[in-house]
Amino acid sequence: KINEGAPTAATIVAAPEFVDAKGARQLFGLSRSHLYNLTARGLIRSCCLRRPGAIRGRRLFACDSIRAYLEACMGLRRRGNTA
């Protein structure tokens, strides 16, 4: 029997600094195509990790830039504008 009154270790989950498209979908609800559009427009930051000489790689998106973008959108909506 487990002692129900005993304290348990809390799981601490740090917010990630970078996520792939799937992680961004889970955290922020943004689709892959929307992330790429925002990156192309310079509204969020991303980088592509690949080995030297490789054609394909792994694109990662900076979570702080996604949060800043979303906060800016919320600020515009509060003032009556739409983004």
Side-chain angles (χ1 to χ4, degrees), residues 58-69:
R58 173 69 125 206
R59 179 148 307 267
L60 298 177
F61 300 91
C63 290
D64 62 338
S65 68
I66 297 173
R67 285 187 189 93
Y69 168 74

Side-chain angles (χ1 to χ4, degrees), residues 9-83:
T11 302
I12 298 173
V13 178
E17 291 185 50
F18 298 92
V19 291
D20 59 6
K22 183 177 179 182
R25 164 73 91 182
Q26 292 171 344
L27 285 174
F28 303 107
L30 300 174
S31 69
R32 179 181 173 275
S33 60
H34 196 69
L35 291 165
Y36 276 84
N37 286 333
L38 293 173
T39 301
R41 292 169 49 198
L43 298 173
I44 64 172
R45 292 179 294 119
S46 73
C47 65
C48 186
L49 301 178
R50 60 182 163 224
R51 293 190 174 117
I55 296 172
R56 298 176 68 176
R58 173 69 125 206
R59 179 148 307 267
L60 298 177
F61 300 91
C63 290
D64 62 338
S65 68
I66 297 173
R67 285 187 189 93
Y69 168 74
L70 293 174
E71 288 172 5
C73 287
M74 290 172 62
L76 289 174
R77 290 201 172 105
R78 278 191 211 121
R79 286 184 245 134
N81 300 334
T82 57

